[in-house]
Amino acid sequence: MNNDALDRLRGMLLGEVVGPADPGYDAARGVYNAMIDKRPAVVARCRGTSDVIGAVRFAREEGLPIAVRGGGHSVAGHGTCDDGMVIDLSLMRGVHVDPVRRTARVQAGALLGDVDRETQVYGLAVPTGQMSETGIAGLTLNGGLGMLLHKYGLTCDNLLSADMVTVAGEVVTASEDSRPELFWALRGGGGNFGVVTSFEFRLHPVGPTMLAGFLAHPAEQAPQVLEFLRDFSATSPAHLSVDALFMRAPEADFVPSEFWGMPLVNLFVRYFGPMEEAWQTVQPLREFGAPLFDGLQPMSYVAVQSMLDAFSPAGNLHYWTSEFLPQLQEKEINAVAAIGADLPSSISIVNVHPFDTAATAVSPDATAFAHRQDSWLIHVIGQWEDTADTDRCRTWVKKAGAALQAFGLGNTYLNTTSEDERTDRVRAFWDGERLARLARVKAAYDPDNVLRFNHNIPPAGKESAR
């Protein structure tokens, strides 16, 4: 873009406008996943809704494609593009809590840690993901899985309304009572329909103190650990969340030094019920097998939500996949254990999440999020630091994904899936009828597919979906 155009945009926005010749350009264009290296024509760092309106209108006038970045945590790199405009919402991180109504209004650039810190002032929480540095916007629009899932459902299940700037530069509000079809689509349909600038969430009483930590077992005992987790999860209370994590033990304070670098399968335990019942409730987990170390301890909700941050910091190279498995029987357990025993780098991870209870009690047609079956989400996180390892690590992820698909339900969780030109995992998530409905909403709000840097849904005909 020429300097005159950039100066015109600067005059329109309260926020920052960064072009390729500006000193902060490389920092402004960077995203979480170092595999993604795009060079946008301009980055518009918006400070509010009026900036977003101005940026959208400017991009349309200039014929620029638009990518929208909230937290910048998209492993697929959807928050940036080549030769277009990045609408960067990272300066819009406000969180306003109404403790009486138990709701929170959250700007779209907020990270989960921002939300947690403000809601926990009142002992309340939004069900969100598992890393505090994740952006609330992308997480919500594609679903939102975390430790509160079993009791309170997905993040998108707790969305009450959303303010959105359309590609025409107009502000609309979506809720059950206002533009209900758009509201349906925003809960699982991703960033296809407009630039969401704020979310209103339902809050729940959680914290401020929980019982949480890791129970570590040798990786070779993974089949027994996964079998135990399967059976335990079938009857465990909804306020107890337990995942399995395959990893090499990090050099961290909570890990005894004699285990650093050792292949482990951890039970990641988070209890957020009545604290007087906490130790008794988790005792069966502590008594199973002979844990190498027991890291369970009382800690704040905010601290628990950031426990995994250090394992996947920004700046590493990432390639991910995931698969919903309908069950964990012997064949599935052996396949997952084999993947977890063959991590291609010291910082790669396999996460095994039970997906059930509140998340599956929601009607399949209530939201655009398509998966509402009791199942297990296997999240394969290929992560490395040296570009020389890229082909080997990415090949491992693809091989792991193919092995899981042999047992899977034919769909993935889009927030944990890298783009792959040879497969269409978007259509593996949405069935034909749901995809057609989403395409009609897309046509009503973005008929020219301006917002295509996402898990894209091509627009249908021009009929209204309002």
Side-chain angles (χ1 to χ4, degrees), residues 23-246:
Y25 176 72
D26 282 337
R29 71 184 181 90
V31 292
Y32 167 76
N33 183 1
M35 283 272 287
I36 310 300
D37 185 21
K38 304 290 187 180
R39 301 190 64 85
V42 60
V43 178
R45 304 194 69 206
C46 299
R47 288 195 177 275
T49 300
S50 63
D51 276 3
V52 175
I53 294 170
V56 168
R57 290 178 176 174
F58 178 89
R60 298 302 305 278
E61 291 169 2
E62 295 291 326
L64 295 172
I66 298 172
V68 183
R69 182 165 71 214
H73 207 267
S74 166
V75 70
H78 290 156
T80 188
C81 62
D82 283 322
D83 303 321
M85 172 183 280
V86 171
I87 295 181
D88 182 353
L89 307 177
S90 63
L91 300 179
M92 298 170 56
R93 295 174 64 169
V95 179
H96 175 74
V97 179
D98 184 334
V100 176
R101 294 179 60 236
R102 289 187 175 178
T103 62
R105 172 66 64 176
V106 181
Q107 286 187 299
L111 306 182
L112 305 191
D114 300 326
V115 179
D116 293 338
R117 283 189 292 272
E118 296 301 319
T119 58
Q120 279 294 284
V121 170
Y122 306 97
L124 300 170
V126 181
T128 59
Q130 300 200 122
M131 292 180 62
S132 72
E133 296 176 357
T134 301
I136 191 69
L139 180 88
T140 303
L141 295 173
N142 281 311
L145 280 69
M147 69 173 172
L148 303 184
L149 173 149
H150 312 287
K151 191 170 180 66
Y152 298 122
L154 306 176
T155 309
C156 70
D157 297 335
N158 292 275
L159 183 65
L160 298 174
S161 69
D163 291 339
M164 187 186 85
V165 175
T166 70
V167 295
E170 301 173 347
V171 181
V172 300
T173 297
S175 68
E176 291 286 3
D177 300 321
S178 174
R179 301 176 187 263
E181 192 70 357
L182 174 62
F183 186 57
W184 173 84
L186 291 176
R187 290 174 292 164
N192 275 281
F193 313 102
V195 184
V196 177
T197 56
S198 71
F199 302 84
E200 181 189 20
F201 292 106
R202 181 186 302 111
L203 303 178
H204 303 278
V206 179
T209 303
M210 300 173 53
L211 186 63
F214 294 98
L215 293 167
H217 297 265
E220 58 266 23
Q221 295 179 11
Q224 294 87 352
V225 172
L226 293 177
E227 182 178 359
F228 169 78
L229 176 61
R230 177 200 64 197
D231 296 341
F232 179 83
S233 296
T235 58
S236 63
H239 48 259
L240 176 60
S241 175
V242 188
D243 299 345
L245 283 170
F246 290 85

Side-chain angles (χ1 to χ4, degrees), residues 193 438-448 458-465:
F193 313 102
L438 286 165
R440 291 193 294 271
V441 181
K442 175 76 169 180
Y445 291 94
D446 184 15
D448 299 320
K462 298 291 181 73
E463 66 270 22
S464 173

Side-chain angles (χ1 to χ4, degrees), residues 3 6-7 10 16-28 41-43:
N3 289 334
L6 288 175
D7 287 342
R10 290 187 177 100
E16 304 170 17
V17 174
V18 185
D22 293 323
Y25 176 72
D26 282 337
V42 60
V43 178

